[in-house]
Amino acid sequence: MIQPMTRNLALSLIVFLLPVLAAAQTADVILSRDSAAAPKWALAIHGGAGTIPKNLPEEQKQQYLKSLTRALEIGRDVLKGGGTSLDAVEKVVRFLEDDPLFNAGKGAVYTHEGTHELDAAIMDGRDLSCGSVAGLKTVKHPVTLARLVKEKSPHVFLVGEGAEAFATQMKVERVKNDWFDTPFRYQQLQEALKEEREKKDKDTVGAVALDTHGNLAAATSTGGLTNKRFGRLGDVPVIGAGTYANNRTAALSGTGIGEEFIKHTVTHDISALVEYGGLTLQQAADRVIHQKLKPGDGGVIGVGRDGSIALVFNSEGMYRGAADSGGRFEVKIWE
Ligand code: ASP
């Protein structure tokens, strides 16, 4: 038996809640209208940031633009077809790893000893699951091994010999270390050796994406710095430095002086400014790249949970591209 007082309380609760529920419904309608206008998928890619001379020979410039265009098309097709952001970023980065123009996979720079050591990472913004590999010598597509670390191992970061052993277990494609040799990178090593310094050769690759299911993912791959020594690792495989994705904020991939990106935990910092600081992705990326890093340190690409795209760099140029379901499709090198 319901007591009159309880009944009165229930009645006044209903009276109070009705307008609240109605308002919530209207808000829902407005929300879904907004999200209908927002891009259903979005993609950004980079092929490295640095001192890219504006007088780059036309033929070379066209080669870069052509490769970036193809990479963007590959990612676009995955996302447009309803594929996952994780598949899109892996596929784009694999393509760029195969292109000797870029400092990842086939075009990886040389270490001081005249060999190649490759690093990569991938991260799923849905559950923060991630995989990193570093110091690889024989893995043709480091980004794919990074994904296998994420999906087939209980760990998130494998390096050197252990990572190679894991590659054997996973049966990924292998090559001899000198397969990564290219005359252009060899020349860069000779110059760096002459100047006795590590050299930042600007062509690390990365991709970030939002898929039609609302999930974000990021992937980055690199040969590191020319003339690097002592097992040097950069920011690329360090989650939160060169690579980060979180469905609550954004997917981000950096390129530049890895040591600076690690010190400033660049990609996580941008994500945190969005999550806790209330900044937009663009504002957060601008803040970190232009106010925390020094001019010339590098840049970052990001895709926000709303499909917004940020391409920010403090170097002379950044090989980059952006596409979304709203019809945007562009590749650029300088401003
Ligand atoms: N960030 C990379 C590294 O320091 C280099 C690059 O972006 O080109 O290993």
Side-chain angles (χ1 to χ4, degrees), residues 46 48-49 103 119 200-205 222-225 228 232-237 254-259 261:
H46 73 74
N103 172 20
D119 309 335
K200 156 82 186 67
D201 282 313
K202 70 188 180 267
D203 309 322
T204 284
V205 306
T222 189
L225 300 185
K228 62 183 181 180
R232 180 264 184 195
L233 297 182
D235 58 315
V236 167
T255 168
I257 312 289
E259 285 69 10
F261 278 66

Side-chain angles (χ1 to χ4, degrees), residues 96 118 123 158 185 240 253-254 334:
L96 294 169
L118 290 73
M123 185 162 186
L158 301 181
R185 298 292 178 204
S253 169
W334 300 278

Side-chain angles (χ1 to χ4, degrees), residues 10 16 23 29 31 65 84 87-88 117 158 190 198 201 207 249 251 265 267 303 333:
F16 170 76
V29 172
L31 246 172
L65 293 175
T84 66
D87 283 344
E117 292 179 6
L158 301 181
Q190 299 317 307
E198 272 186 355
D201 282 313
T249 55
T265 52
T267 52
V303 167
I333 303 177

Side-chain angles (χ1 to χ4, degrees), residues 21-34:
L21 287 173
Q25 239 178 353
T26 327
D28 264 347
V29 172
I30 293 169
L31 246 172
S32 55
R33 214 185 295 137
D34 273 349

Side-chain angles (χ1 to χ4, degrees), residues 270-312:
I270 294 172
S271 167
L273 283 170
V274 172
E275 186 168 10
Y276 311 122
L279 270 63
T280 64
L281 171 62
Q282 183 68 44
Q283 289 167 339
D286 279 336
R287 168 92 62 96
V288 175
I289 299 298
H290 294 301
Q291 291 179 24
K292 289 191 134 185
L293 295 181
K294 296 184 301 303
D297 279 349
V300 75
I301 55 168
V303 167
R305 52 180 284 184
D306 58 354
S308 56
I309 295 174
L311 310 157
V312 183

